[in-house]
Amino acid sequence: MTVTRTGEHARDVDPRRWWGLVIIALAQLMVVLDATIVNIALPSAQEDLGISDGNRQWVITAYSLAFGGLLLLGGRIADLVGRKRTFVIGLIGFAAASALGGAATTAGMLFGARALQGVFAAVLAPSALSLLTTTFTDPKERGKAFGIYGALAGSGSAIGFIVGGLLTEYLDWRWCLYVNVPIAVIAVFGALTLLHDSPGHAGARLDVPGVLLGCGGLVAIVYGFAEAEPRGWTDPMVLTLFVVGVVLLAAFVWWQTRAPVPLLPLHIIKDRTRAGCFLTMALAVIGLFGLFLFMTYYLQVILDYSPVMTGLAFLPLTVAIITGSTQIAARLLDHVAPRLLMAPGALLAAIGMVLLTRLTVHSSYASDILPALILMGLGMGLIFMPVFATATAGVAPQDSGVTSATVNTSQQVGGSIGTALLNTIATTSSAAYITAHLTDPAQRALVTQEGIVHGYTVAIWWAAAITLLAGVVAALMVTAKPPKHGAAQEAQIPEPVA
């Protein structure tokens, strides 16, 4: 392998680096799709294990809570121990947790396995992104690599629906978890063979108070949004969780200014462009993940689709996200400012969501749903790829892991908040509609279906508004120039003193 150095960056010209990208992308796809692959399998798992309606949400929430809440810790571990080493450890742990979940005999065992998956995903995801950041430093190659990565990160959830539907209908819901084991085995051997990395920073310390404050605050807030659906927004426990979360995060920020080795160096989020990328990602994913939930239930409950048909119905969205990331955003990012991709992308996605507000109990997939999914996918592809590439550009090597973790944290926490927030809006709107319109008991079934769809459309209006807000944030905060114009400037960014 030949290595040349420009400024503080090492340019890897190993011809196998693109195979290394395949391994990194495979691991990231596994982590992202696992947030949704069990959604379609959830009714079967609930019946098999006797999970109550009130507790079934924890199959999803246990994963996203552990993942989103511990990502910052995982990012810092990647910086301290070494990215390749934590990447391999994360893969092995994720596979073991998946096998445990597939073999679950009780609800508690499944919840615990899903939480354990989230823990190892929090180690794996930032290692994957930081390995990508340090492997591809050439602006042209970086654009292509992040285009592929952004497409997988953005479409992984939709792919999860397709795979989940196929496995549930033709094998068993447990295979939605078992399937991770062979993927992880391939990725481990590939990582050991193809990936290269410098060792971790010897002698560096882990910011334990920062871990407790930051991760605790994120977990409290995400848990609060998860509990808002069954308990209501004014429930004392929900309000307490929000207050505790805000206080812990405020204390976390205060501590980071005083910690000798901070978990999240504040210069990372003080940068206007980088902070804009984090916020844009969180807002965009709030709308997208909430929509995944509604469309899954709409297709299965209202239109009576099978699990496989429901998964396949998301395929155009997946293709559109990949097209937007790799064929549009990746080709244009060298020539236009990132916000000129991200803001129009948010507008395009919001238009797609507005189209879905016209849904009724008799809507057609081809005319009412398909065009909206294509617009949303293209729009999200224009957001994801520039966000990943721009947020991680110009970061000092020792901070690449924690920066990567912050991008992933934005995505996971945004997804968790979006699912809980929009589902609560949908549920309350549906209940209000049914109460107001159920005057004839003989019409209960029809009114109930109409009420459910009404709740979905109200929530989708909110999703569209939040997605538009993501575009406004990108337009106002992301001020970075096109990479080829900012390359010289990027090379001059000083590294913070450790």
Side-chain angles (χ1 to χ4, degrees):
M1 180 179 70
T2 303
V3 178
T4 60
R5 294 190 176 273
T6 302
E8 297 293 338
H9 298 281
R11 179 168 299 174
D12 191 347
V13 294
D14 183 352
R16 299 185 303 170
R17 64 191 178 282
W18 292 104
W19 285 108
L21 172 62
V22 172
I23 298 302
I24 295 171
L26 186 66
Q28 177 67 13
L29 177 62
M30 180 180 67
V31 168
V32 174
L33 68 82
D34 226 72
T36 57
I37 193 172
V38 299
N39 278 30
I40 294 177
L42 186 53
S44 300
Q46 181 180 359
E47 181 180 357
D48 195 11
L49 299 180
I51 304 173
S52 68
D53 288 345
N55 288 331
R56 65 185 177 187
Q57 64 163 324
W58 287 107
V59 177
I60 308 299
T61 309
Y63 180 80
S64 60
L65 267 175
F67 194 1
L70 296 174
L71 267 166
L72 285 174
L73 173 60
R76 183 49 77 190
I77 290 175
D79 287 332
L80 299 181
V81 178
R83 303 173 190 93
K84 179 177 176 178
R85 184 179 300 173
T86 53
F87 184 77
V88 172
I89 292 172
L91 283 169
I92 294 172
F94 196 90
S98 299
L100 180 65
T105 55
T106 65
M109 186 175 174
L110 180 59
F111 299 158
R114 288 288 286 167
L116 198 58
Q117 277 186 305
V119 170
F120 284 105
V123 174
L124 178 59
S127 302
L129 185 53
S130 56
L131 278 170
L132 183 65
T133 302
T134 55
T135 299
F136 295 92
T137 56
D138 179 81
K140 284 189 176 181
E141 290 193 347
R142 184 183 178 88
K144 292 178 183 178
F146 273 94
I148 296 170
Y149 184 89
L152 288 173
S155 63
S157 298
I159 295 172
F161 285 117
I162 298 172
V163 176
L166 290 169
L167 293 175
T168 301
E169 188 157 332
Y170 293 112
L171 291 174
D172 183 77
W173 68 266
R174 297 178 184 276
W175 277 97
C176 292
L177 295 163
Y178 285 144
V179 71
N180 292 319
V181 176
I183 295 175
V185 169
I186 294 171
V188 166
F189 281 108
L192 294 175
T193 305
L194 298 168
L195 297 180
H196 305 280
D197 185 37
S198 58
H201 299 279
R205 292 180 296 162
L206 195 63
D207 177 17
V208 177
V211 170
L212 297 176
L213 292 171
C215 297
L218 287 174
V219 168
I221 289 177
V222 175
Y223 187 24
F225 276 106
E227 288 295 302
E229 178 192 351
R231 296 175 178 271
W233 293 103
T234 57
D235 181 82
M237 179 179 176
V238 173
L239 295 177
T240 300
L241 284 168
F242 287 149
V243 170
V244 169
V246 170
V247 170
L248 287 176
L249 289 179
F252 169 76
V253 172
W254 171 84
W255 172 249
Q256 295 308 284
T257 64
R258 291 159 176 78
V261 184
L263 178 65
L264 175 60
L266 293 184
H267 64 266
I268 290 175
I269 56 175
K270 283 181 179 179
D271 179 83
R272 178 174 176 173
T273 288
R274 197 165 289 119
C277 286
F278 298 150
L279 188 54
T280 299
M281 172 63 83
L283 292 171
V285 172
I286 284 177
L288 183 63
F289 273 51
L291 200 76
F292 280 150
L293 181 68
F294 303 139
M295 291 311 301
T296 300
Y297 278 96
Y298 178 80
L299 293 170
Q300 289 198 53
V301 176
I302 305 301
L303 299 187
D304 200 27
Y305 279 29
S306 68
V308 169
M309 287 301 297
T310 300
L312 291 175
F314 283 102
L315 186 57
L317 175 67
T318 303
V319 173
I321 291 177
I322 293 173
T323 301
S325 291
T326 62
Q327 301 305 310
I328 302 176
R331 294 175 183 270
L332 293 178
L333 187 59
D334 280 345
H335 308 286
V336 302
R339 63 178 173 181
L340 295 183
L341 296 172
M342 294 157 64
L347 177 61
L348 202 60
I351 292 173
M353 293 177 185
V354 170
L355 292 180
L356 290 177
T357 62
R358 304 178 303 166
L359 290 178
T360 69
V361 294
H362 303 296
S363 291
S364 164
Y365 176 83
S367 60
D368 299 318
I369 299 173
L370 180 59
L373 293 181
I374 292 173
L375 287 176
M376 285 173 48
L378 289 173
M380 289 297 173
L382 291 176
I383 295 173
F384 289 135
M385 184 270 165
V387 163
F388 281 117
T390 306
T392 56
V395 178
Q398 67 265 28
D399 289 330
S400 63
V402 73
T403 304
S404 305
T406 308
V407 179
N408 279 284
T409 297
S410 301
Q411 188 175 25
Q412 289 301 317
V413 173
S416 301
I417 290 173
T419 300
L421 170 64
L422 297 179
N423 195 45
T424 299
I425 293 172
T427 302
T428 54
S429 299
S430 295
Y433 181 95
I434 294 170
T435 301
H437 291 80
L438 188 58
T439 56
D440 183 2
Q443 299 292 317
R444 176 178 295 274
L446 177 61
V447 171
T448 299
Q449 280 201 330
E450 290 176 342
I452 291 172
V453 175
H454 172 76
Y456 293 164
T457 58
V458 171
I460 291 170
W461 274 113
W462 280 88
I466 294 170
T467 304
L468 276 178
L469 181 59
V472 173
V473 169
L476 296 179
M477 293 186 65
V478 181
T479 58
K481 296 178 181 179
K484 69 176 184 180
H485 297 144
Q489 180 181 354
E490 177 183 317
Q492 297 172 2
I493 295 177
E495 293 188 5
V497 179

